[in-house]
Amino acid sequence: MRFQSRSILATLILSAVSSGAFAASHTVENLTIFAGEKAASAKDVLAKNAAKYGLPASLDNLVLTKVQDSLLGKHYYYQQMLRGIPVDRAEIVISISHKGDLLKVFNETKPVSAQADANAVNQLYVQKQITTEQALDKAWANMKVQHKLVAAPKTDLVWVAGPSGFQLAHKVNISAQMPTGGFVQYISTADGKLLDSYSTTLPRMSKGGERSLAERARLNVSTLDRQSEMAAFSAKLGKVAAAPAASSLAVAAVASGVNGSGLVFDPDPRSVLNTENLSDTSAASAFDAAYSTKTLRDLTVTNGVYTLSGPFVNITDIEAPNTAPSTTTNGVWTAKRGNNAFDDTNVYFHLDQNQRYIQSLGFTGSKSIINRPLNVDTDGVNGDDNSHYQPAAAGKDYLAFGHGCVNDTEDVGVILHEYGHGIQYNINNSWTGGDTGGMGEGFGDYWAASYSYSTANGKTFHPEWAFKWDGHNACWGGRMLNRTDAKYNASKSYPPHTSVTENGVTFQSDELWSTPLFQSLVALIAAGKPRENVDKIILEAHFGLGSNVKMPAMATAIVNAATALFPNDATYANTFRAKFEAQNILAGAVPPGNVISETESNNTTATANLISTSNTTVNGTISASTDVDYFKVTVPAGKTLKVVMTPNSSSDYDLELYNSTGTKLTSSTNGKGAADTVTYANTGTAAVVVYAKVLYYSGGTGATNGKYSAVFTW
């Protein structure tokens, strides 16, 4: 059977491990967080838990497709197969720390009944199937492709899981220039019908709503001939392969050590000048004081010509209006806004700097995130007032920025927002479904705002604005980072750029996610914590996940990453948790925190073991029938203490709660093997000390038969 809990509220599950101690696990949606459990290997974890995850004991339906490294450990990605064909977006990911601790399991595998398997056999070997070419024709027509291809169309045979079982489909991926953009479509092999689809193009904003095939269908446009366009694209690739040195896509894979310089906005002209009285039509002289000269690092020099191609960024031409990248003969760019050369230098500087910042957080070597030349078109999107990231295999993905109204390339908010999409995709190329649309946009807004907040006027000039220069003007309204009135509703999903009304409050789906991230950053910096630590936590949390991630699961991953990266400073985890709870994304759902062992002698309140942080799991022992164990907790004002004590299956221990004067406040006396729970609400304005007491009633005692666990949260 698969994970039992798909609810927003976490469920604490206590299970004995071979050592006799207790390991805490905590499930939110399709993610389970562990604490105190060792893992011999990923395969061993799967074998021991096959029944829980609905997997065959042989594990013969899983194929290891990727092993990924991160700051905390390694992540093992297993693809579910059915009759030798992948079940699309059905993975189970096992995350193990560098010390051998089981960190988390992300499970999106699907149960396969005998009837479902029989139906799969029928579809594969009996039912008539349309050809790959026919599927391409269907998908091409569905998209109404009207712009040049940016990648060769790709098809794969997959299973699409649904309520009634599995349907065999051609998974067709077609990517064209904007505004056609890219889509993945699932075309039924039986009749060519569209089973499902999603956009692969991730724009800064969607005009008229979320990008969808339904929107494409409403357009009255002519469709390009598929065969001709595919032939033209193949011919173009052939020319590039024949003359790679002449290609604008030739990149510098290593640092050249040759630096140049150029004018940039850092982060944007409004922030630098600390004024809202600046618009796209302001006089050129109004921007003079906003420029700064920056070093453009590790440029490529060929025959005396300097190009903005380095180890992390490659400025090139990909999309219409097909503007050639700027070059110089001395490595100095002096262009200002209104000149494409300024767009080139502004984008090159900020992306190069941001990648070096990511590496400074520890994401290098096997832990790298886009540590390679990323192709960027600073004058693309067919000239539209928009920008986008186009996912693809490493080295073929790219960014493109438009020039409508304020050029998107003039605002670091847009530049780093789009880079944020690249960050997420390069960590998790299954980032689709669930709430990933709204979270992807929200993370992009946060990633840009994190940098802006670190600049000179970042904390004072509208820190709550996303896109301080490109938005919040006549061009478009921008988005906000302080929508604390936005509340999560578990019955809904949150696609990108979607207007949502909840309890009479209207907000953007993107803002529901960016707000708790940014407000956590603001609060933690105010508490003296460095921005670098906050960004490190959020990046690390993205590792070890697959598709169909919902906000509560992602929030749980972030709180858990904060706990794991900074085990001696609960400020990080507590701050993130509080901000997520404020938006109803987490409702008391907290991952396991500290795991400690009860120590003797603690038979009186004077010698009680101290529980200093919320969400602490204690592994304890009743050594004899006369043994009692006390634990001291200081409950903060306005918080409610909850203690859950679980005895071993053959014993009956009880749980009591006392105040500082020795008066019993409450107790729980459930039977053998049953958990006891006590709570205490501190409704006052000052912290209150209370004592939890575990005592024997019947059953086993001693190191082997006297085990129990107690979880303290508030």
Side-chain angles (χ1 to χ4, degrees):
M1 185 175 290
R2 298 189 62 221
F3 290 119
Q4 296 300 305
S5 173
R6 300 281 295 186
S7 65
I8 297 176
L9 293 178
T11 302
L12 284 173
I13 308 166
L14 298 171
S15 56
V17 294
S18 58
S19 64
F22 282 84
S25 67
H26 170 86
T27 299
V28 179
E29 300 288 346
N30 45 13
L31 176 68
T32 299
I33 302 294
F34 294 84
E37 183 166 334
K38 290 293 183 180
S41 67
K43 202 70 176 285
D44 185 62
V45 172
L46 290 170
K48 289 180 177 178
N49 295 278
K52 180 196 297 186
Y53 303 146
L55 303 170
S58 64
L59 303 178
D60 58 0
N61 69 333
L62 298 179
V63 175
L64 181 65
T65 57
K66 179 173 66 173
V67 179
Q68 190 177 32
D69 203 7
S70 74
L71 300 182
L72 289 173
K74 288 187 179 295
H75 312 273
Y76 300 83
Y77 293 75
Y78 289 87
Q79 170 65 53
Q80 182 182 6
M81 309 294 287
L82 176 58
R83 295 287 168 175
I85 295 173
V87 180
D88 195 69
R89 292 182 280 186
E91 293 176 299
I92 185 166
V93 188
I94 312 299
S95 299
I96 301 174
S97 79
H98 296 304
K99 296 180 180 179
D101 297 309
L102 179 58
L103 296 174
K104 59 188 177 185
V105 174
F106 180 89
N107 185 30
E108 265 296 300
T109 60
K110 316 299 181 185
V112 181
S113 66
Q115 183 61 55
D117 184 62
N119 289 340
V121 171
N122 181 64
Q123 292 179 70
L124 269 175
Y125 304 112
V126 179
Q127 185 174 278
K128 184 178 179 181
Q129 298 179 17
I130 67 170
T131 66
T132 297
E133 287 295 303
Q134 289 172 319
L136 276 168
D137 284 337
K138 295 278 188 181
W140 190 274
N142 291 341
M143 282 178 63
K144 290 190 173 181
V145 178
Q146 64 185 111
H147 300 92
K148 298 294 182 182
L149 291 171
V150 296
K154 186 175 182 295
T155 63
D156 294 291
L157 200 61
V158 300
W159 296 105
V160 176
S164 59
F166 301 87
Q167 288 185 269
L168 194 61
H170 292 284
K171 181 180 181 179
V172 184
N173 191 336
I174 300 175
S175 296
Q177 294 184 25
M178 288 288 277
T180 298
F183 288 90
V184 167
Q185 300 178 57
Y186 299 88
I187 306 296
S188 170
T189 59
D191 52 19
K193 290 183 179 179
L194 178 68
L195 301 177
D196 194 9
S197 68
Y198 61 87
S199 171
T200 60
T201 303
L202 305 174
R204 165 178 57 83
M205 61 178 178
S206 295
K207 297 180 178 180
E210 182 188 1
R211 282 180 49 78
S212 65
L213 288 181
E215 285 184 345
R216 296 293 306 162
R218 287 192 288 268
L219 296 177
N220 184 21
V221 296
S222 58
T223 302
L224 297 175
D225 179 71
R226 180 177 72 82
Q227 298 287 357
S228 298
E229 291 304 313
M230 290 181 65
F233 185 79
S234 295
K236 178 182 177 182
L237 287 183
K239 290 179 181 179
V240 171
S247 170
S248 63
L249 296 178
V251 297
V254 296
S256 68
V258 178
N259 296 337
S261 66
L263 295 179
V264 305
F265 289 145
D266 189 17
D268 65 83
R270 277 180 167 175
S271 294
V272 173
L273 300 178
N274 198 28
T275 180
E276 295 180 33
N277 298 321
L278 204 62
S279 70
D280 186 47
T281 57
S282 295
S285 59
F287 296 87
D288 286 344
Y291 295 103
S292 56
T293 301
K294 298 290 187 179
T295 299
L296 307 174
R297 300 176 63 179
D298 294 315
L299 304 181
T300 297
V301 184
T302 305
N303 298 324
V305 177
Y306 290 72
T307 59
L308 293 168
S309 178
F312 312 124
V313 187
N314 179 48
I315 304 298
T316 187
D317 175 37
I318 303 172
E319 299 184 346
N322 302 120
T323 305
S326 61
T327 62
T328 70
T329 56
N330 60 359
V332 178
W333 275 259
T334 59
K336 296 183 177 180
R337 72 181 301 260
N339 187 316
N340 280 7
F342 174 76
D343 302 309
D344 292 346
T345 59
N346 203 47
V347 171
Y348 185 91
F349 168 76
H350 283 295
L351 291 182
D352 177 81
Q353 176 181 252
N354 198 248
Q355 173 56 219
R356 295 175 195 268
Y357 169 71
I358 291 172
Q359 293 179 38
S360 76
L361 301 179
F363 296 97
T364 60
S366 61
K367 308 174 188 68
S368 292
I369 308 169
I370 330 184
N371 185 352
R372 56 179 170 79
L374 178 67
N375 290 324
V376 183
D377 189 343
T378 66
D379 188 12
V381 203
N382 205 35
D384 191 18
D385 180 20
N386 214 337
S387 298
H388 72 99
Y389 169 72
Q390 181 61 53
K396 295 183 179 180
D397 55 343
Y398 69 88
L399 297 178
F401 297 92
H403 282 191
C405 206
V406 170
N407 288 5
D408 283 11
T409 46
E410 295 180 11
D411 190 340
V412 74
V414 182
I415 296 169
L416 295 187
H417 169 93
E418 295 303 333
Y419 199 56
H421 286 306
I423 289 170
Q424 286 185 312
Y425 182 81
N426 278 266
I427 295 175
N428 178 8
N429 58 17
S430 297
W431 187 257
T432 59
D435 295 330
T436 58
M439 287 194 294
E441 298 302 324
F443 170 76
D445 288 0
Y446 165 81
W447 191 248
S450 171
Y451 175 70
S452 292
Y453 198 69
S454 73
T455 60
N457 295 327
K459 296 180 177 63
T460 55
F461 183 76
H462 290 293
E464 77 282 4
W465 282 2
F467 314 113
K468 298 181 184 182
W469 170 228
D470 183 67
H472 305 280
N473 53 30
C475 300
W476 75 295
R479 290 195 286 269
M480 304 297 289
L481 300 155
N482 64 345
R483 293 305 307 271
T484 55
D485 57 344
K487 305 299 179 184
Y488 182 79
N489 184 332
S491 67
K492 295 181 178 179
S493 61
Y494 292 86
H497 312 311
T498 303
S499 179
V500 180
T501 299
E502 200 67 50
N503 297 322
V505 176
T506 300
F507 54 90
Q508 291 291 306
S509 55
D510 318 334
E511 296 169 330
L512 177 60
W513 187 247
S514 63
T515 292
L517 296 185
F518 184 69
Q519 295 305 316
S520 294
L521 174 74
V522 171
L524 286 165
I525 288 177
K529 309 301 179 184
R531 165 205 174 208
E532 290 80 0
N533 288 353
V534 183
D535 286 346
K536 183 186 298 185
I537 289 167
I538 294 173
L539 290 178
E540 175 65 25
H542 282 82
F543 287 86
L545 304 177
S547 61
N548 296 318
V549 183
K550 299 282 284 183
M551 288 189 187
M554 190 72 235
T556 300
I558 290 173
V559 175
N560 181 64
T563 301
L565 287 171
F566 300 98
N568 298 319
D569 190 346
T571 309
Y572 292 101
N574 289 343
T575 300
F576 276 114
R577 183 185 302 120
K579 299 305 180 184
F580 287 129
E581 287 178 352
Q583 315 273 167
N584 288 350
I585 294 172
L586 291 181
V590 293
N594 296 330
V595 178
I596 64 175
S597 296
E598 171 250 340
T599 57
E600 294 288 353
S601 168
N602 61 344
N603 295 342
T604 67
T605 56
T607 59
N609 289 174
L610 179 65
I611 306 298
S612 57
T613 61
S614 175
N615 204 31
T616 294
T617 298
V618 176
N619 291 323
T621 302
I622 294 295
S623 58
S625 60
T626 56
D627 184 25
V628 295
D629 295 335
Y630 279 94
F631 302 92
K632 179 181 178 179
V633 183
T634 300
V635 184
K639 293 290 186 177
T640 296
L641 169 68
K642 180 179 180 181
V643 186
V644 180
M645 185 278 297
T646 305
N648 60 77
S649 60
S650 62
S651 299
D652 181 2
Y653 307 146
D654 293 333
L655 181 62
E656 299 174 346
L657 201 63
Y658 293 82
N659 66 15
S660 58
T661 63
T663 301
K664 184 189 292 188
L665 301 173
T666 185
S667 64
S668 177
T669 57
N670 292 327
K672 183 175 71 173
D676 286 304
T677 301
V678 295
T679 62
Y680 170 75
N682 180 7
T683 58
T685 58
V688 174
V689 173
V690 297
Y691 296 89
K693 178 184 179 182
V694 179
L695 62 158
Y696 177 89
Y697 182 78
S698 68
T701 61
T704 301
N705 300 317
K707 297 295 185 182
Y708 70 88
S709 71
V711 180
F712 295 76
T713 57
W714 60 83

